[in-house]
Amino acid sequence: QVHLVESGGGLVQPGGSLRLSCAGSGSIFSGYRMGWYRQAPGKQRELVAHITGSSTTYYANSVKGRFTISKDNAKNTVYLQMNSLKPEDTAVYYCNLYGGVFDIWGQGTQVTVSS
């Protein structure tokens, strides 16, 4: 059984930075696509960024140039470095592992960007 646990969310002022972490259990972590999604109140969940098993990355246009996804396979952890945060980045951020028979979600971590 694979579990994902996010951490690192919080309240930050516009223009500030946060780093989210997603720690996974199990040895399958490194071979699958890991993604960060977010869901704001009243909106659908959207893909923010993902990183493949070969470390190819993808970013939504809204975060390109501000967010960076990375992973540490030895620690079974994927990160989302978020810089130049805007109020519209406020959402619950979820970690996802996808591939083969797996489509696993973490419990989410709240990010609030407000002055």
Side-chain angles (χ1 to χ4, degrees), residues 3-65:
H3 298 281
L4 302 175
V5 179
E6 301 99 333
S7 61
L11 173 64
V12 63
Q13 292 186 343
S17 298
L18 282 175
R19 189 176 81 155
L20 305 183
S21 299
C22 172
S25 62
S27 60
I28 68 167
F29 185 88
S30 62
Y32 291 83
R33 191 185 80 184
M34 299 297 302
W36 284 99
Y37 291 72
R38 67 186 181 188
Q39 187 166 20
K43 294 188 177 182
Q44 289 189 329
R45 191 173 296 188
E46 62 176 356
L47 175 64
V48 175
H50 73 231
I51 184 165
T52 68
S54 58
S55 297
T56 300
T57 58
Y58 164 87
Y59 297 94
N61 286 336
S62 58
V63 306
K64 204 171 290 184

Side-chain angles (χ1 to χ4, degrees), residues 1 5 11 15 20 34 69 76-77 85 90 99 101 104 107:
Q1 190 85 15
V5 179
L11 173 64
L20 305 183
M34 299 297 302
I69 190 170
N76 283 349
T77 301
L85 282 161
T90 295
V101 299
I104 298 169
Q107 83 288 351

